[in-house]
């Protein structure tokens, strides 16, 4: 199936086009943008990013690990220190807190890599080019041969600078 | 950089974090080699104890020498010995170091080359045979047996003679006793029954005739439990506040050398109050000056003297102690006689002052005889000089011309075991054993015979002095007893059973009835002379005996160098004590160097301005200024031949007293600012405790339950908590200490004991300057309750002493308090310090990474950090052989501190466990407690109500240091008793 | 579905229509990475030499023993801990700018937050060295980590120092993550505009970033969450550092005000450091168009504000010391101002409370040379603040008989100097190889300005 790439200047246009495309059932599309623009991202997929789940899980894991580790280690070989209880909770809050942050942060990163499908690679999408890391926007639509003209028209009618077939 | 060994390797790889982890686990494999044939008297791990005698000073205290696997590792007092009753002073404690000392001669030497004993003794014999009459023996007394051998050889061989030389000859006191009581002996002073002690600069607590014995008696006489009225008062009379004086109630700052006249005037005044029946005594004190005249002469105010006269008149048992040899001038005999007469007037002869029946055996020769020998040497009449147990080259006044005379002697033979200024001049060195290696005996007083027995096989190729003289004697055809020194000692001790008994007990102790004597009619003859001073300066030069260095022999021992002087808290150097007024006049501050010039010579020393010295005096301690020796000189610090500090002898004239004895106090000096500044190791920079109640005082009124206004600060001290609680609930023990500040004299025996017992390293002067001493226990010296003044100075020094009047010096031993809620424990990130079930604040050296957080957070500042690899590098020579195998030697970068002698606790645990009982009270004695001459420290289980550590707690005086911080210390202090205010009330 | 894309080799990814004109923003900001400037090279050389001499000093100290440092009882902590606290403090401004200001949507931060974040990371990397340099047995540092060992020993979680270990490591990790996440799109920009090895490295580092909507959505969300985590973290970290002192019992340390006081001080000093590093780099790389005086002015406002907080803390310490009625506290603070260390105390007060008052004047707030000098003065002042807190307090504590003085030793000073070089080295390398300004964030603003739009 053919893949069309269209290039825009204004984020609003991109958002508009994406909405229209999806309206017409062209769901196999992707956008490239040089900077984050909520309107585009919501147009492509209105659902909130699952990254937040990772953060939550990480944080919970951290606080549990933190307290569990400290309490267990203090009781594993109980030594009297300055007349304090072997496992005294107040001082343990600090490390519990730090581990919450640490695990939360690390899992958030994992979330980003997972959700954003980020991994070291040299092969990028054929449609991607450095102009999208400049100041231009792109939309890639894959559609059936018979729809090509329709999509093309729709793009151009929405102030696409250029529309081209990505050679497959 | 030395070639890399394991430790250094570890340090280096430690730089690379990754490799460190690997290297941390790479401890080397060390083999434990068992005895092939197990010696029956040795149980590995258990100390074998031998009884012997301390030879560090004339007092001749009894020793118990603990040896481990054949090595002496600790000296303690012999409980059966009548002199020290199981206690031992700082000097005695560290005497053990001589045996392992890096300065020791490893064999005989001739003309600077190592040689064999046969050769060395042949040379000596030949030289002596060549001219027996020109052969002289110069050295200190070595006790009856060895003195007997030497005398026999000297007499039988027709040698020129023997001069028994001791820097502090004590002849003045003997002469005075002879003049007053007709016996040429050293009286024996007993303070135990006294209620008023007059210290005429005698230094009886540290440098006197028998410090340990007198200190114990003094403490007994002041024991607040037995004497609710406070017991004996101490009045000190002299130009500077000594360690002994620091313990006094009041101080009469008499001009140096005026003590005699003062004593005589007092005697007369008291006599006229009391009325004296003894005619001879009357005659003796008849021509005494009037009190007013004496006051003028001594430059003290009359009122204080009159007050003292009243006190003496009202007192029941007065003991007046005569000036120590160094404090006596050209009228030393008169001065000593005057003090004895004062005792006679006070009626304490026979009780407080015991006059021996017979004269002292083998007493030191008066200085005049030494000078005569020097002149003979100068005249070339001496062909052979045999020097033993003395260092005349160092200790004789330069004015005596000894060093020049030494050049003219054909053959100088030294029997020193440690290198000293004299032995380096000697062509022939026949090194003697150290006391711990040799046989011998001592008779400190009639009836008290103390045995010296070897506790280790000689470490080096040395030979006992007795054997050397025996060989010499046989060579000369003298009929000396057969056998070796040991055989002769055995024979003198009755051989067989009685000898063995002596070996076990450490001697035979049957106090002979030294006691009363009446005043001779001719006593008056001794009186009258006034002290003469040579030189032109504005200041009287006071050369006083250092608390630890003695006549200079102590300077070789690093502990005596490093433990701060009890009064000034200075170490490792000489310093010049001048009054604050003098300092202002000269425009010098602490550490500025002044040049001290007498006609005879000049030295330079940093000044220590203090309130505790007269404006007309400059005081320098005797004992420093050695030019040879690893520790005694700067050799150990990398500059051999350079003197450490200055030798006072260079300043002194060759003056003598009426009896020919050596007069140390005989010259004036002029002071000039040199402009230089010297950093000095001062371990305590402030003597102001700022009202923080670190060293507290309780007045007699408060003790009696009355209210006392003239005493600030809390005197009835509440117990904020129960220290026995701070251990595991089920545990039978919570170890603790009770320290009675009222008994502490500041003598620092505990510090020395701790150093030896716990392998505490010596850090040397450069680090001592930076307050990096490692001592686990220190004694802080504060003046009064203090106020909130001061602390701003960049170059501070203690400055709160005042001249004369009421003395309010507080000594407080400071060591790990083993807190129940220890600030140090909670902050250690690696649990290198924690609280044991029996209440100890324990250190795990191997766990410590050296964050030093604990030291910051320790409010008592008792934690010590190993800035360098002390445990590894700081035991030169064979010193490492004296390390206590029960105590870990700490490595670089770890923290350490007092452990309550945990090794001794463990030692007591085992038998108790075997017998299925708890450890009994008194079974564990910490090193500091064991050494304390005044029994100020008590260790024990605070959970045992009947334990001394609890029973000795006197609620009226007990307090915890800084208890407001709620550290819950395991150490209870008992406040010092203030005996002055009560007097003024009555 | 999408057919597999043709194998486009790394080299081909640069291909684009001949008509293409790269954006000015990219060209300007990536400019520094294109060539080696002489001043940069010189500075880097100096930095490396500086680090070298410090490493030598450390080797010497570790081999011979800590005694070569100037420690004198009762002062057991000195330059190393001072410098540790100093660098940790520096780091905080970066996190504040990137995280807290992000949450407050303070858009002006965009131009400086990259530099600030970099500063944070490198400052923390510097600080993290000092606890190790400080300890007596460097080769046993791993005892501080709770790892299973056959001795069965664990660490003491009640010790503020251990809280430090965790706080610092967490802070270091999170800062690096935050920094890297922000960098990913910008590295992609650099990747598209470079060739050869550089391109390969960039390609690996940017994890195949293409700026698809999904990636952007995840990215924005991640940045938001990390900011949310970093904000309490940054406050906690310096609180924990302050508790190293506040939790102990020494007069002058044992104060509840320490946590807020230290945090404020950290931000104060950190902003000063941002100025100290950004002013020269802006000059050297001609980024005036992006880092404007407006940014500097905003930062000066912060500095002025925090200097008042710090000043208040100083005053409050003295008030409480007096009000407590505890003699030891009063003595400690009296001697702090008039004792042997009065010089450092007055340096601290003048540099941190008096000089910043100049910033009341807009003329000076916008006068860059003044700002630079002032920022340096403040950095010195903040270092002395820690010097005063640590040295004066320990040297005059509960036992007058044990009081002493402390003088830094050459070894300590050499390692102190080395720490600045270490920091500078990282920063110089960073500005050579990575965009010192957050390209995408600037672009976002630029495009919004150009075409308007949501927000």
């Amino acid at each position: 199936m053919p893949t069309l790439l269209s290039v825009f200047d204004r984020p609003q246009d991109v958002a508009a086009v994406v909405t229209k495309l999806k309206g017409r059932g062209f769901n196999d599309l992707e956008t490239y943008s040089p900077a984050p623009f909520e309107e585009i991202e919501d147009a492509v997929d209105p659902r909130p990013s699952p990254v937040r789940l990772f953060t939550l899980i990480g944080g919970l894991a951290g606080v549990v690990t933190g307290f569990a580790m400290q309490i267990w280690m203090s009781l594993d070989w109980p030594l009297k220190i300055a007349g304090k209880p072997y496992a005294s909770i107040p001082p343990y809050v600090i490390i519990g807190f730090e581990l919450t942050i640490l695990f939360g942060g690390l899992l958030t990163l994992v979330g980003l890599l997972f959700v954003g499908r980020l991994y070291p690679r040299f092969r990028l999408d054929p449609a991607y080019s450095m102009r999208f890391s400049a100041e231009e926007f792109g939309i890639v639509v894959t559609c059936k041969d018979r729809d090509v003209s329709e999509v093309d028209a729709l793009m151009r009618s929405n102030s696409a600078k250029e529309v081209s077939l990505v050679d497959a | 950089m030395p070639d890399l060994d394991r430790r250094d390797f570890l340090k280096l790889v430690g730089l690379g974090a990754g490799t460190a982890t690997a290297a941390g686990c790479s401890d080397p494999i060390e083999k434990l080699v068992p005895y092939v044939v197990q010696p029956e008297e040795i149980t590995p791990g258990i100390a074998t104890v031998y009884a012997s005698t301390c030879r560090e000073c004339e007092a001749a205290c009894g020793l118990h020498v603990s040896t481990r696997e054949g090595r002496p590792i600790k000296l303690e007092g012999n409980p059966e010995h009548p002199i020290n009753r199981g206690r031992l002073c700082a000097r005695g404690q560290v005497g053990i170091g001589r045996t392992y000392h890096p300065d020791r001669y490893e064999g005989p030497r001739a003309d600077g080359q190592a040689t064999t004993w046969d050769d060395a003794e042949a040379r000596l014999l030949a030289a002596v045979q060549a001219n027996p009459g020109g052969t002289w023996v110069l050295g200190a007394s070595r006790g009856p047996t060895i003195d007997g051998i030497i005398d026999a050889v000297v007499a039988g061989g027709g040698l020129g003679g023997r001069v028994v030389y001791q820097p502090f000859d004590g002849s003045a006191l003997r002469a005075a006793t002879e003049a007053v009581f007709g016996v040429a002996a050293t009286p024996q002073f007993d303070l135990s029954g006294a209620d008023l002690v007059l210290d005429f600069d005698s230094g009886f607590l540290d440098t006197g005739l028998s410090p340990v014995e007198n200190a114990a008696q003094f403490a007994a006489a002041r024991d607040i439990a037995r004497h609710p009225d406070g017991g004996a008062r101490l009045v000190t009379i002299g130009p500077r506040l000594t360690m002994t004086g620091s313990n006094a109630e009041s101080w009469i700052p008499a001009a140096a050398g005026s003590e005699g006249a003062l004593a005589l005037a007092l005697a007369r005044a008291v006599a006229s109050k009391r009325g004296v029946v003894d005619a001879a005594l009357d005659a003796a004190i008849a021509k005494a000056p009037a009190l007013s005249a004496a006051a003028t002469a001594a430059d003290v105010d009359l009122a204080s003297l009159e007050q003292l006269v009243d006190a003496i008149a009202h007192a029941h048992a007065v003991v007046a102690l005569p000036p120590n040899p160094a404090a006596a001038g050209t009228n030393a005999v008169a001065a000593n006689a005057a003090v004895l007469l004062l005792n006679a007037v006070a009626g304490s002869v026979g009780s407080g002052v015991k006059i021996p029946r017979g004269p002292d055996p083998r007493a030191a020769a008066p200085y005049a005889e030494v000078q005569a020998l020097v002149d003979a040497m100068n005249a070339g009449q001496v062909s052979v000089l045999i020097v033993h147990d003395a260092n005349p080259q160092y200790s004789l006044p330069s004015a005596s011309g000894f060093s020049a005379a030494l050049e003219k002697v054909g053959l100088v033979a030294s029997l020193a075991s440690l290198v000293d200024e004299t032995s380096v001049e000697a062509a022939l060195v026949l090194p003697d054993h150290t006391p711990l290696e040799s046989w011998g005996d001592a008779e400190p007083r009639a009836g008290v015979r103390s045995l010296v027995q070897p506790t280790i096989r000689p470490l080096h190729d040395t030979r006992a002095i007795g054997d050397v003289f025996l060989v010499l004697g046989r060579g000369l055809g003298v009929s000396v007893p057969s056998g070796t020194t040991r055989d002769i000692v055995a024979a003198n001790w009755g051989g067989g059973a009685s000898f063995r008994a002596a070996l076990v007990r450490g001697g035979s102790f049957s106090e002979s009835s030294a006691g009363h004597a009446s005043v001779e009619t001719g006593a008056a003859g001794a009186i009258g002379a006034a002290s003469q001073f040579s030189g032109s300066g504005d200041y009287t030069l006071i050369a006083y005996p250092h608390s630890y260095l003695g006549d200079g022999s102590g300077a070789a021992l690093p502990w005596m160098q490093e433990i701060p002087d009890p009064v000034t808290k200075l170490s490792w150097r000489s310093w010049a004590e001048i009054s604050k007024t003098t300092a202002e006049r000269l425009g010098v501050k602490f550490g500025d160097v002044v040049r001290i010039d007498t006609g005879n010579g000049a030295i330079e020393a940093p000044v220590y301005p203090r309130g505790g010295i007269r404006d007309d005096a400059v005081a320098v301690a005797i004992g420093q200024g050695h030019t040879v020796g690893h520790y005694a000189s700067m050799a150990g610090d990398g500059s051999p031949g350079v003197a450490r500090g200055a030798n006072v002898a260079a300043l002194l004239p060759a003056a003598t007293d009426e009896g020919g004895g050596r007069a140390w106090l005989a010259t004036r000096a002029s002071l000039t600012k040199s402009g230089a500044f010297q950093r000095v190791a001062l371990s305590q920079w402030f003597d102001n405790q700022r009202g923080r109640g670190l060293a507290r005082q309780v007045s007699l009124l408060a003790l009696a339950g009355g209210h006392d206004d003239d005493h600030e600060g809390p005197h009835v001290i509440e117990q904020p908590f129960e220290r026995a609680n701070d251990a595991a609930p089920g545990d039978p023990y919570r170890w603790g200490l009770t320290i009675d500040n009222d008994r502490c004299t500041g003598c620092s025996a505990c510090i020395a004991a701790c150093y030896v017992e716990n392998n505490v390293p010596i850090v040397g002067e450069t680090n001592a300057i930076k307050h990096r001493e490692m001592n686990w226990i220190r004694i802080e010296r504060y003046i009064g309750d203090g106020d909130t003044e001061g602390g701003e100075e960049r170059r501070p020094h203690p400055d709160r002493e005042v001249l004369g009047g009421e003395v309010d010096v507080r000594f407080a031993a400071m060591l790990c308090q083993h807190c129940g809620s220890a600030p140090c424990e909670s902050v250690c990130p690696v649990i290198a310090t924690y609280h044991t079930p029996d209440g100890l604040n324990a250190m795990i050296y191997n766990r410590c990474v050296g964050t030093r957080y604990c030291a910051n957070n320790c409010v008592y500042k008792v934690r010590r950090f190993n800035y360098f690899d002390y445990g590894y590098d700081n035991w030169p020579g064979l010193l490492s052989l004296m390390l206590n195998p029960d105590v870990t030697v700490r490595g670089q970068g770890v923290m350490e501190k007092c452990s309550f002698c945990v090794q001794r606790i463990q030692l007591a645990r085992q038998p108790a466990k075997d017998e299925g009982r708890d450890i009994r009270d008194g079974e564990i004695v910490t090193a500091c407690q064991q050494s304390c001459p005044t029994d100020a420290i008590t260790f024990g289980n605070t959970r045992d109500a009947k334990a001394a550590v609890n029973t000795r707690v006197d609620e009226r005086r007990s307090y915890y240091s800084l208890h407001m911080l709620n550290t819950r210390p395991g150490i209870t202090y008992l406040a010092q008793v203030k005996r002055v205010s009560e007097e003024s009330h009555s | 579905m999408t057919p597999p894309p043709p194998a486009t080799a790394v080299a081909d990814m640069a291909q684009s229509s001949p008509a293409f004109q790269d954006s000015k923003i990219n060209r300007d900001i990536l400019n520094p990475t294109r060539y080696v400037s002489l001043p940069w090279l010189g500075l880097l050389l100096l930095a490396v030499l500086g680090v070298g001499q410090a490493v030598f000093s450390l080797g010497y100290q570790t081999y011979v023993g800590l005694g070569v440092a100037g420690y004198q009882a009762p002062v057991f902590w000195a330059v190393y801990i001072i410098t540790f606290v100093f660098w940790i403090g520096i780091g905080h401004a970066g996190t504040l700018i990137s995280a807290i200001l992000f949450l407050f949507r303070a858009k002006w931060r965009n131009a400086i937050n990259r530099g600030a974040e970099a500063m944070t990371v490198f400052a923390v990397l510097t600080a993290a060295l000092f606890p190790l340099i400080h300890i007596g047995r460097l080769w046993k540092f791993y005892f501080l980590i709770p790892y299973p060992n056959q001795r069965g020993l664990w660490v003491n979680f009640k010790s503020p120092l251990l809280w430090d270990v965790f706080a610092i490591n967490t802070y270091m990790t999170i800062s690096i993550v935050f920094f890297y996440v922000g960098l990913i799109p910008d590295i992609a920009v650099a990747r598209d505009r470079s060739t050869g090895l550089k391109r390969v490295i960039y390609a690996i580092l940017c994890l195949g970033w293409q700026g698809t909507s999904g990636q952007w959505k995840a990215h924005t969300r991640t940045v938001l969450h990390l900011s949310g985590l970093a904000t309490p973290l940054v406050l906690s970290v310096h609180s924990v550092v302050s508790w190293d002192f506040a939790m102990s019992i020494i007069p002058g340390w044992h104060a509840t005000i320490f946590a807020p006081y230290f945090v404020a001080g950290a931000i104060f000093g950190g902003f000063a450091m941002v100025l100290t590093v950004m002013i020269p780099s802006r000059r050297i790389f001609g980024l005036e168009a992006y880092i404007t005086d407006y940014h500097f002015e905003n930062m000066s406002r912060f500095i002025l504000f925090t200097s008042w907080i710090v000043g208040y803390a100083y005053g409050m310490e003295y008030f409480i010391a007096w009000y407590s009625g505890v003699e030891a506290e009063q003595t400690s603070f009296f001697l702090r101002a008039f004792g042997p260390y009065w010089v450092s105390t007055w340096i601290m007060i003048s540099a941190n409370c008096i000089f910043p008052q100049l910033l009341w004047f807009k003329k000076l707030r916008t006068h860059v040379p003044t700002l630079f000098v002032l920022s340096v003065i403040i950095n010195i002042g903040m270092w002395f603040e820690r010097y005063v807190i640590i040295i004066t307090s320990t040297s005059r504590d509960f036992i007058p008989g044990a009081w002493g003085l402390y003088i830094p030793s050459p070894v300590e000073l050499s390692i102190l100097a080395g720490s600045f070089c270490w920091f500078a080295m990282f920063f110089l390398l960073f500005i050579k190889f990575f965009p010192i300004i957050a390209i995408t964030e600037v672009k976002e603003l630029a495009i919004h300005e150009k075409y308007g739009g949501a927000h």
Side-chain angles (χ1 to χ4, degrees), chain C residues 79-99:
Chain C
V79 167
Y80 301 142
I81 295 293
I82 293 164
T83 316
F84 162 73
V85 180
F86 173 79
W87 281 115
I88 287 292
I90 296 302
H92 283 44
T95 321
L96 180 97
I97 290 171
S98 52

Side-chain angles (χ1 to χ4, degrees), chain B residues 252-436:
Chain B
I252 296 174
S258 69
E259 292 90 351
L262 214 50
L264 201 60
L266 287 169
R268 180 177 159 191
V270 172
S272 57
K273 258 195 188 322
R274 277 190 170 175
V276 181
V277 288
D278 188 325
L281 181 51
D282 270 332
I285 58 174
K287 53 179 176 164
L291 209 53
S292 54
T296 333
D299 183 26
V300 295
D301 68 323
L302 188 54
S304 64
L305 290 185
E306 280 159 349
Q307 213 173 357
L308 183 55
V309 171
D310 288 344
I312 300 171
H314 290 108
H316 308 295
V318 182
V319 178
L321 294 121
N324 70 61
T330 57
N331 65 340
V333 176
N336 283 283
V339 174
L340 292 174
L341 286 172
L342 178 56
N343 281 307
V345 170
S348 46
V349 177
S351 54
V353 184
K354 301 194 173 105
I355 311 299
R357 291 268 174 273
D360 289 355
R362 217 67 189 91
Y367 174 72
E369 292 182 25
V370 183
Q371 190 60 52
L373 174 61
V374 174
D375 298 341
M377 287 158 64
N378 263 322
Q381 297 155 1
V382 177
S383 61
V384 180
L385 182 69
I386 302 174
V387 184
H388 69 89
D389 299 288
N391 186 5
Q393 176 74 337
Y394 166 85
S395 55
L396 280 173
S398 53
S400 70
F402 179 81
S403 45
L406 207 56
E407 308 294 322
K408 302 208 178 68
V409 175
L411 175 73
V412 179
S414 167
L415 273 57
S417 49
L418 269 60
V419 63
D420 62 30
E421 284 75 7
T422 313
S423 70
V424 293
E425 302 289 330
L428 205 55
V429 180
L430 306 105
D432 185 11
H433 298 331
T434 59
L436 289 182

Side-chain angles (χ1 to χ4, degrees), chain C residues 6 58 140 153 166 217-218 287 292 323 343 357 429 435 441:
Chain C
L58 179 57
K140 296 275 188 227
L153 280 164
F166 278 81
K217 190 165 206 156
L287 297 171
T292 64
Y323 186 68
V343 178
Q357 302 315 315
L429 290 173
E441 294 191 25

Side-chain angles (χ1 to χ4, degrees), chain B residues 420-493:
Chain B
D420 62 30
E421 284 75 7
T422 313
S423 70
V424 293
E425 302 289 330
L428 205 55
V429 180
L430 306 105
D432 185 11
H433 298 331
T434 59
L436 289 182
E437 296 169 336
S438 40
W439 285 99
D441 50 13
E443 190 166 9
R445 72 174 68 133
V448 179
R449 298 180 60 221
S450 191
L451 188 67
V452 181
Q453 68 170 308
T455 57
I456 181 176
R457 176 187 299 154
L459 286 167
H460 302 294
D461 182 16
T462 55
R463 193 163 285 190
I465 175 174
D467 296 350
V468 172
F469 271 96
L470 286 172
V471 170
L472 182 62
R474 294 187 183 115
L476 293 168
V478 183
S479 65
V480 288
S482 62
T484 64
T485 312
R486 183 207 173 279
D487 307 324
I488 299 169
V489 171
N492 287 5
W493 282 79

